[in-house]
Amino acid sequence: MLANLHVDVRGHRPAELAGIDDRRIAGDHALALQAFHSGITTGTGDVYALGQRPHRQPPLDLQLRQQPQINVVESDRLSSRTGRRVSFGSHNSRAYEPQFVFVYACLPTLDVLRSHAQTGGYSSFRRSERLVTTSLLPTESPVALIDADGQPVPDALWSMPSDEVLVALHRAIVLARRFDAQATALTKQGRLAVYPSARGQEASEIGAALALRPQDWLFPTYRDSMAVVARGVDPVEVLTLLLRGDWHCGYDPYEHLVAPQCTPLATNTLHAVGVGHAATLKGEDTVALVMLGDGATSEGDTHEALNFAGVWKAPVVFFVQNNGYAISVPLAQQTAAPSLAAKGIGYGVPAMLIDGNDPAAVYRAVSVAIARAAAGDGPTLIEAVTYRIEAHTNADDATRYRPAEEVRQWLARDPLTRLTRYLTDRGLLDADRIAALDAEAEAEAAALRQRMNVDAVLDPADLFRYVYAEQTPELRAQQQELAEESR
Amino acid sequence: MTIVAEQVVEAAPVASAVTMEAALNRALADALRDDDRVLVFGEDVAKLGGVFRVTDGLAATFGPARVFDTPLAEAGIVGTAIGMAMNGLRPVIEMQFDAFAYPAFEQITSHLAKLHNRTKGKIALPIVIRIPYGGGIGGVEHHCDSSEAYYTHTAGLRVVTPGTAGDAYALLRQAIDCPDPVIFLEPKRRYWSKEAVTLDHTGSTVDGAVIRRTGTDVTLITYGGTLGTALEAAQEADRSVEVIDLRSLSPFDDKTVAASVRRTGRAVVVHEASRFCGYGAEVAARLTEQCFHYLHAPILRVAGFDIPYPAPNLEEHHLPSVDRILDTIDRLQWEDS
Ligand SMILES: Cc1ncc(C[n+]2csc(CCOP(=O)(O)OP(=O)(O)O)c2C)c(N)n1
Ligand SMILES: [Mg+2]
């Protein structure tokens, strides 16, 4: 992030700067970070006098919306503690500059903080030095390794996954897309009550699922059937129970370490933190990855989970699939944050912003996050930018809230097309192999269709069996009541 | 926990007089000692020992990996406890006050109560949520709610509340051992009530109701904070009053309670929670269903009014009093009056 800093003093070094007491920096720094985190620019005047609390806010219409330019402002003042020159990064609006400036990044203060930490100077309001490291911030634009045209991105932030991994990702994506299409078709035939499609999000679903190690937990939502199947759960167990309506969850969560697909938004983020923290307490090498949508990031549980995970340094990966909409509500109405990934820094959780339609980037990012968690370095927040091609579920009409042109634009960024092109260009895939894969996907879909056509035998007595570990007399009586009724 | 019908509590061999608060503290300490999967966490439970000191000294004895303070977020506490239980631990968590458990309501009703059923028993959640509840201690708003009916109305939860120090110990130990999630309601105003008792949970199970005082004319059915008031009223009454302490609000011990009501033919339910749709409504309804032909009078309720919990200087008007209980007993259509 530091590399992105545009150093520009431009002469408006505020008078106040000369007289600041560097002991005040950290406090204001934290406030400024909070402001940055919520997408609100605070303050008027050239720059905050760093000894003041920047709690005045400009009128709403003056709040920054565009990606601001970042300046580094240096002062002539030498720190009384470190003897170094005190310098400040500032977050600066082009439009309102120089009126609206707030101090936001201040690497040299790390030294100041360190020296103060040693003397106990900041202990009351500075929990750790981590907050001031800009390494917590995501990149400004999504990281991709393979671009929309299937070309490797030059000078990409991370290395490309191995050929084996890319080929495995490709196969799993082909199978997942066919599975998803089959599930949608089954809703039209009345064999499934409801299905939330993840078409278009395959790179995120599969990239994340395949990056998990066998001992890691997956906490999926209703939308993540593809990831659940990729993790090894029988697709019929996924579809018949939750989505056909035979029971709420059809698989044994402990068999593949996949939690039940979660419907109350964001509530599973806390469960993932609990599983991860329990692993830490028990000395297990287990990481929990929780999936959530852009809309779910607005829920209070997401905030609490990120906060708990940050405090506990829990081995958790928060994997946000930003598909642009929460049913009909677009992201712009969900948050004023510069990005969803930008929220991480407010919790001391490092974040990554990635191209969620690039399977290579997703796989690499999740692998890095898992390795970091497994090494004891705590949680990571990943925002994968992607798009839901189908409606929210088969019961939704997406034409009411988004233009067809938008969908067309995203179809041009298709994850499978770009991976196919990349692998074909490198000789890792050819027409025969593609045909064989398609045939395999077709056979799986046919088997799924057939198995889904067999009606399950449901036993109403099950309604009373699992409420408690041991059936209560009351439930025994009610089970009896129902049995007599249906005799 | 299995329900054992109708037991009359014998005076336990006297050890020393303990408060309910101390009994709860001992139960936690003993559970932490006996099972290293047990964890205690919540707001201010470690260094401070909880705002009511129920967890006093536990952090020092068992260390920060077993007993720890969490960030201030109730949904977070319950939600992470669910994850920990999924991963083999047995969290005993504290909500600081009744009304401050409400932020956790979604986690409790949508997941804690349902995950076992949702997964056909694959996921068990042996979690205890300790909640100091009820008024009578001069607490300000949001610190005195009787929230039991929210939990008893939720299938999948067990809800228990001790009325005595001895029961507090035994019930909490059993709740921690229970494979189901248990809402453990601690009546604040009885925290400091003393009882000479040996702390033991290995004998008879106590999640059924218990007859605290035998009588022949009328059955008073109560629990938690109003147990003391009910016993006092029974003492004062000029009729022979039986007093039942429910202890387990869900499941309900029909056997013990119905047998008593059939014997006496009259019943009054006493609780400080509001009357409308309160817990007593269920008690009266099921006893009517089960004992109608034995009843000489409608089952009556003595409950808090249907108002938000009053400010401290007015709470005495709201809480069921001895007089109100005695007046209600008088209204039970006695032939001799
Ligand atoms: C707590 C809660 N509130 C509302 C809903 C209803 N609901 C289901 S999905 C959804 C939109 C979620 O959007 P997002 O988090 O972006 O995920 P996506 O569906 O796009 O994958 C809503 C509002 C819910 N399931 N849970
Ligand atoms: Mg969305």
Side-chain angles (χ1 to χ4, degrees), chain B residues 116-158:
Chain B
H116 188 271
N117 184 67
R118 182 178 304 147
T119 59
K120 289 200 170 175
K122 298 292 193 316
I123 291 180
L125 296 176
I127 292 171
V128 178
I129 307 186
R130 295 182 34 248
I131 309 177
Y133 83 117
I137 59 161
V140 295
E141 200 184 6
H142 313 298
H143 295 72
C144 301
D145 283 14
S146 288
S147 40
E148 61 267 33
Y150 301 134
Y151 305 112
T152 55
H153 193 63
T154 304
L157 300 176
R158 287 177 179 271

Coordinates of all heavy atoms in Angstrom, one line a residue, chain B residues 116-158:
Chain B
H116 N -29.4 -28.8 16.6 CA -29.5 -30.2 16.8 C -30.6 -30.8 15.9 O -30.4 -31.9 15.3 CB -29.8 -30.5 18.3 CG -29.7 -31.9 18.7 ND1 -30.8 -32.7 18.7 CD2 -28.7 -32.7 19.2 CE1 -30.5 -33.9 19.1 NE2 -29.2 -33.9 19.4
N117 N -31.7 -30.2 15.9 CA -32.8 -30.7 15.1 C -32.5 -30.5 13.6 O -32.7 -31.4 12.8 CB -34.1 -29.8 15.4 CG -35.3 -30.3 14.7 OD1 -35.8 -31.4 14.9 ND2 -35.8 -29.5 13.8
R118 N -31.9 -29.4 13.2 CA -31.6 -29.1 11.8 C -30.7 -30.2 11.2 O -30.8 -30.6 10.1 CB -30.9 -27.8 11.7 CG -30.5 -27.3 10.3 CD -29.9 -25.9 10.3 NE -30.7 -25.0 11.0 CZ -30.3 -23.9 11.7 NH1 -29.0 -23.7 11.8 NH2 -31.1 -23.1 12.3
T119 N -29.8 -30.8 12.1 CA -28.8 -31.7 11.6 C -29.2 -33.2 12.0 O -28.3 -34.0 12.0 CB -27.4 -31.4 12.0 OG1 -27.4 -31.4 13.5 CG2 -27.0 -30.0 11.5
K120 N -30.4 -33.3 12.4 CA -30.9 -34.7 12.9 C -29.9 -35.2 14.0 O -29.5 -36.4 13.9 CB -31.1 -35.7 11.8 CG -32.3 -35.3 10.9 CD -32.7 -36.5 10.1 CE -34.1 -36.2 9.4 NZ -34.5 -37.3 8.6
G121 N -29.5 -34.3 14.9 CA -28.7 -34.8 16.0 C -27.2 -34.9 15.8 O -26.5 -35.2 16.7
K122 N -26.8 -34.5 14.5 CA -25.3 -34.6 14.3 C -24.6 -33.6 15.1 O -23.5 -33.8 15.6 CB -25.1 -34.4 12.8 CG -25.7 -35.5 11.9 CD -25.1 -36.8 12.1 CE -25.4 -37.8 11.0 NZ -26.8 -37.9 10.6
I123 N -25.1 -32.4 15.1 CA -24.5 -31.3 15.9 C -25.2 -31.2 17.3 O -26.4 -30.9 17.3 CB -24.5 -30.0 15.2 CG1 -23.6 -30.0 14.0 CG2 -24.1 -28.8 16.1 CD1 -23.6 -28.7 13.2
A124 N -24.5 -31.4 18.3 CA -25.0 -31.2 19.7 C -24.4 -29.9 20.2 O -23.2 -29.6 20.0 CB -24.7 -32.4 20.6
L125 N -25.2 -29.2 21.0 CA -24.6 -27.9 21.5 C -24.8 -27.9 23.0 O -25.7 -27.3 23.6 CB -25.4 -26.7 20.9 CG -25.2 -26.5 19.4 CD1 -26.0 -25.4 18.9 CD2 -23.7 -26.3 19.0
P126 N -23.8 -28.5 23.7 CA -23.9 -28.5 25.2 C -23.4 -27.2 25.8 O -22.3 -27.1 26.3 CB -23.0 -29.7 25.6 CG -22.0 -29.8 24.4 CD -22.7 -29.3 23.2
I127 N -24.3 -26.2 25.7 CA -23.9 -24.8 26.1 C -24.8 -24.4 27.2 O -26.0 -24.7 27.1 CB -24.1 -23.9 24.9 CG1 -23.0 -24.2 23.8 CG2 -24.0 -22.4 25.3 CD1 -23.2 -23.4 22.5
V128 N -24.3 -23.7 28.2 CA -25.1 -23.2 29.2 C -25.0 -21.7 29.1 O -23.9 -21.1 29.1 CB -24.7 -23.6 30.7 CG1 -25.6 -23.0 31.7 CG2 -24.7 -25.1 30.8
I129 N -26.2 -21.0 29.0 CA -26.2 -19.5 29.1 C -26.7 -19.1 30.5 O -27.9 -19.3 30.8 CB -27.0 -18.9 28.0 CG1 -26.6 -19.4 26.6 CG2 -26.9 -17.4 28.0 CD1 -27.3 -18.8 25.5
R130 N -25.8 -18.5 31.3 CA -26.3 -18.1 32.6 C -26.8 -16.6 32.5 O -26.1 -15.8 31.9 CB -25.1 -18.1 33.6 CG -24.5 -19.5 33.9 CD -23.4 -19.4 34.9 NE -23.6 -18.3 35.8 CZ -22.9 -17.2 35.9 NH1 -21.9 -17.0 35.1 NH2 -23.2 -16.2 36.7
I131 N -28.0 -16.4 33.0 CA -28.6 -15.1 32.9 C -29.1 -14.7 34.2 O -30.1 -15.2 34.7 CB -29.7 -15.0 31.8 CG1 -29.3 -15.6 30.5 CG2 -30.2 -13.6 31.6 CD1 -30.3 -15.7 29.4
P132 N -28.5 -13.7 34.9 CA -29.2 -13.1 36.1 C -30.5 -12.5 35.6 O -30.4 -11.7 34.7 CB -28.1 -12.1 36.6 CG -26.9 -12.3 35.8 CD -27.3 -13.0 34.5
Y133 N -31.6 -12.8 36.3 CA -32.9 -12.3 35.8 C -33.8 -11.8 36.9 O -33.5 -12.1 38.1 CB -33.6 -13.3 34.9 CG -34.4 -14.3 35.7 CD1 -35.8 -14.4 35.5 CD2 -33.8 -15.2 36.5 CE1 -36.5 -15.4 36.2 CE2 -34.5 -16.2 37.2 CZ -35.9 -16.3 37.0 OH -36.6 -17.2 37.7
G134 N -34.7 -11.0 36.6 CA -35.8 -10.6 37.5 C -35.3 -9.4 38.3 O -34.2 -8.9 38.3
G135 N -36.3 -8.9 39.1 CA -36.1 -7.6 39.9 C -36.0 -7.9 41.3 O -35.6 -8.9 41.8
G136 N -36.5 -6.9 42.1 CA -36.5 -7.0 43.5 C -35.1 -6.6 44.2 O -34.9 -6.8 45.4
I137 N -34.2 -6.0 43.4 CA -33.0 -5.6 43.9 C -32.8 -4.1 43.7 O -31.6 -3.6 43.8 CB -31.8 -6.4 43.4 CG1 -31.7 -6.2 41.9 CG2 -31.8 -7.8 43.7 CD1 -30.3 -6.5 41.3
G138 N -33.8 -3.4 43.4 CA -33.7 -1.9 43.2 C -32.9 -1.6 41.9 O -32.3 -0.6 41.8
G139 N -32.9 -2.5 41.0 CA -32.2 -2.2 39.7 C -32.9 -1.3 38.8 O -34.2 -1.2 38.9
V140 N -32.2 -0.6 38.0 CA -32.8 0.4 37.1 C -33.3 -0.4 35.8 O -33.1 -1.6 35.7 CB -31.9 1.5 36.7 CG1 -31.6 2.4 37.9 CG2 -30.6 1.0 36.0
E141 N -34.0 0.4 34.9 CA -34.6 -0.2 33.7 C -33.5 -1.1 33.0 O -32.3 -0.7 33.0 CB -35.1 0.9 32.8 CG -36.1 0.4 31.8 CD -36.6 1.5 30.9 OE1 -36.0 2.6 30.9 OE2 -37.5 1.2 30.1
H142 N -33.9 -2.1 32.4 CA -33.1 -3.1 31.6 C -32.3 -4.0 32.5 O -31.5 -4.8 32.0 CB -32.1 -2.4 30.6 CG -32.8 -1.3 29.8 ND1 -33.8 -1.5 28.9 CD2 -32.5 0.1 29.8 CE1 -34.1 -0.3 28.4 NE2 -33.4 0.6 28.9
H143 N -32.5 -3.9 33.8 CA -31.7 -4.8 34.7 C -32.6 -5.7 35.5 O -32.2 -6.3 36.5 CB -30.8 -4.0 35.6 CG -29.8 -3.2 34.9 ND1 -30.0 -2.1 34.2 CD2 -28.4 -3.3 34.9 CE1 -28.9 -1.6 33.7 NE2 -27.9 -2.3 34.1
C144 N -33.9 -5.8 35.2 CA -34.9 -6.5 36.0 C -35.9 -7.3 35.3 O -36.9 -7.7 35.8 CB -35.6 -5.4 36.9 SG -34.5 -4.4 37.9
D145 N -35.6 -7.6 34.0 CA -36.6 -8.3 33.2 C -36.8 -9.7 33.6 O -35.8 -10.4 33.9 CB -36.3 -8.2 31.7 CG -36.6 -6.9 31.1 OD1 -36.8 -5.9 31.9 OD2 -36.6 -6.8 29.9
S146 N -38.0 -10.2 33.6 CA -38.2 -11.6 33.7 C -38.4 -12.2 32.3 O -39.5 -12.1 31.7 CB -39.5 -11.9 34.5 OG -39.2 -11.6 35.9
S147 N -37.4 -12.7 31.7 CA -37.4 -13.0 30.3 C -37.7 -14.5 30.0 O -37.5 -15.0 28.9 CB -36.1 -12.6 29.6 OG -35.0 -12.8 30.5
E148 N -38.1 -15.3 31.0 CA -38.2 -16.7 30.9 C -39.1 -17.2 29.7 O -38.8 -18.2 29.1 CB -38.6 -17.4 32.2 CG -40.0 -17.0 32.7 CD -39.9 -15.8 33.7 OE1 -39.0 -15.0 33.5 OE2 -40.7 -15.8 34.7
A149 N -40.2 -16.5 29.5 CA -41.2 -17.0 28.5 C -40.6 -16.9 27.1 O -41.0 -17.7 26.3 CB -42.5 -16.2 28.6
Y150 N -39.7 -16.0 26.8 CA -39.1 -15.9 25.5 C -38.4 -17.3 25.3 O -38.3 -17.8 24.1 CB -38.1 -14.8 25.4 CG -38.6 -13.4 25.6 CD1 -37.9 -12.5 26.5 CD2 -39.8 -13.0 25.0 CE1 -38.4 -11.2 26.7 CE2 -40.3 -11.7 25.2 CZ -39.6 -10.8 26.1 OH -40.1 -9.6 26.3
Y151 N -37.7 -17.8 26.3 CA -36.9 -19.0 26.1 C -37.8 -20.2 26.2 O -37.6 -21.2 25.4 CB -35.8 -19.0 27.1 CG -34.9 -17.8 27.1 CD1 -34.9 -16.8 28.1 CD2 -34.2 -17.5 26.0 CE1 -34.2 -15.7 28.1 CE2 -33.4 -16.3 25.9 CZ -33.4 -15.4 27.0 OH -32.6 -14.3 26.9
T152 N -38.7 -20.3 27.1 CA -39.5 -21.5 27.2 C -40.4 -21.6 26.0 O -40.8 -22.8 25.7 CB -40.5 -21.4 28.5 OG1 -41.2 -20.2 28.4 CG2 -39.6 -21.5 29.8
H153 N -40.7 -20.6 25.3 CA -41.5 -20.7 24.1 C -40.7 -21.2 22.9 O -41.2 -21.5 21.8 CB -42.1 -19.3 23.7 CG -43.1 -19.3 22.7 ND1 -44.3 -20.0 22.9 CD2 -43.2 -18.9 21.4 CE1 -45.1 -19.9 21.8 NE2 -44.4 -19.2 20.9
T154 N -39.4 -21.4 23.1 CA -38.5 -21.8 22.0 C -38.1 -23.3 22.1 O -37.4 -23.6 23.1 CB -37.2 -20.9 22.0 OG1 -37.6 -19.5 22.0 CG2 -36.3 -21.3 20.9
A155 N -38.7 -24.1 21.2 CA -38.4 -25.5 21.3 C -36.9 -25.7 21.1 O -36.2 -25.0 20.3 CB -39.2 -26.2 20.2
G156 N -36.3 -26.7 21.8 CA -34.9 -27.0 21.6 C -34.1 -26.5 22.8 O -32.9 -26.9 22.9
L157 N -34.6 -25.6 23.6 CA -33.9 -25.1 24.7 C -34.5 -25.7 26.0 O -35.6 -26.0 26.1 CB -34.1 -23.5 24.9 CG -33.7 -22.6 23.7 CD1 -34.0 -21.2 24.0 CD2 -32.2 -22.8 23.5
R158 N -33.6 -26.0 26.9 CA -34.0 -26.3 28.3 C -33.9 -25.0 29.1 O -32.9 -24.2 28.9 CB -33.2 -27.4 28.9 CG -33.4 -28.7 28.3 CD -32.5 -29.7 28.9 NE -32.7 -31.1 28.4 CZ -33.6 -31.9 28.9 NH1 -34.3 -31.6 30.0 NH2 -33.8 -33.1 28.4

